[in-house]
Amino acid sequence: MNQTPLLETERLTLRPPRMEDAAAIFESYGRDEEVTRFLTFAPNQTLEQLEEFMRARLRKMEEGAAITWAITRRGDDTLIGMIELRLHGFKADVGYVLARRFWGQGLMTEALRAVVDFAFTLPGMYRVWAVCDVENVGSARVMEKAGMSFEGVLRRHTRHPNVGTEPRDMCCYAKTR
């Protein structure tokens, strides 16, 4: 699948990303050290870095390995984050990011619910899962509120270049059908 469907929630529109989104991402969260703290990449230092990241995301979508959405406010197309569903046969994992000024409003929970619900419309999909750093309490709450269940801690699982060089423990959440 390489076609990103439009998903709408009460307050959000999840739409296919476009290269033109790079500048909005750079300005709203791409270079924000707090937003990128627990991500697997460092904050973007230049718009060119972010444009290369966008080209890589769009290639993954064309290859059918992932479905990526730009998260926008419904009605005004203000880009506030991204969410990606990475397909692995009968299961998929989710990654997401949200601009800091939109934290604490339930928006990422709303987006994650929509993506998980969409995932279970795909033929043969039985499991959607995601991980977050053990210190990323906000992300853990997002997954819980989106209906995902805590499955355990994956020890020394992921490197976060913004936190240190050693692999860190991750909390794993999933929803199954």
Side-chain angles (χ1 to χ4, degrees):
M1 168 181 245
N2 59 7
Q3 199 70 359
T4 299
L6 189 70
L7 302 177
E8 290 190 318
T9 69
E10 182 181 333
R11 299 178 290 167
L12 303 171
T13 298
L14 281 63
R15 62 159 172 79
R18 310 182 280 254
M19 267 311 289
E20 309 87 80
D21 292 331
I25 293 168
F26 186 70
E27 290 302 319
S28 64
Y29 65 84
R31 58 185 172 169
D32 186 321
E33 292 180 4
E34 187 62 25
V35 170
T36 58
R37 180 175 180 207
F38 293 117
L39 299 181
T40 56
F41 56 87
N44 298 109
Q45 300 302 312
T46 66
L47 180 56
E48 290 75 26
Q49 283 180 320
L50 192 48
E51 287 171 340
E52 181 51 42
F53 171 81
M54 285 297 292
R55 281 190 283 279
R57 294 275 61 79
L58 295 172
R59 274 192 303 274
K60 277 185 151 306
M61 291 171 57
E62 288 172 10
E63 295 165 359
I67 305 170
T68 306
W69 289 268
I71 303 170
T72 65
R73 292 192 312 192
R74 192 168 182 173
D76 71 6
D77 203 42
T78 299
L79 190 138
I80 64 172
M82 299 277 279
I83 189 164
E84 183 171 74
L85 183 69
R86 295 172 289 261
L87 306 171
H88 312 281
F90 66 90
K91 58 189 173 186
D93 72 288
V94 180
Y96 50 82
V97 61
L98 187 68
R100 187 178 354 171
R101 71 183 190 137
F102 297 100
W103 289 1
Q105 300 173 37
L107 296 169
M108 187 51 72
T109 298
E110 201 171 306
L112 181 57
R113 265 193 212 117
V115 168
V116 170
D117 289 348
F118 165 77
F120 287 123
T121 69
L122 298 174
M125 184 61 61
Y126 290 94
R127 174 184 174 80
V128 178
W129 61 281
V131 296
C132 68
D133 192 278
V134 293
E135 291 183 20
N136 194 345
V137 177
S139 189
R141 277 298 293 141
V142 164
M143 289 184 264
E144 290 168 358
K145 290 189 302 183
M148 300 174 87
S149 299
F150 177 71
E151 291 190 327
V153 175
L154 305 172
R155 303 284 178 210
R156 311 287 270 181
H157 185 268
T158 302
R159 283 196 169 105
H160 298 297
N162 309 312
V163 180
T165 58
E166 294 191 13
R168 297 183 47 88
D169 294 349
M170 303 293 281
C171 294
C172 182
Y173 289 82
K175 187 169 185 176
T176 61
R177 97 171 136 140

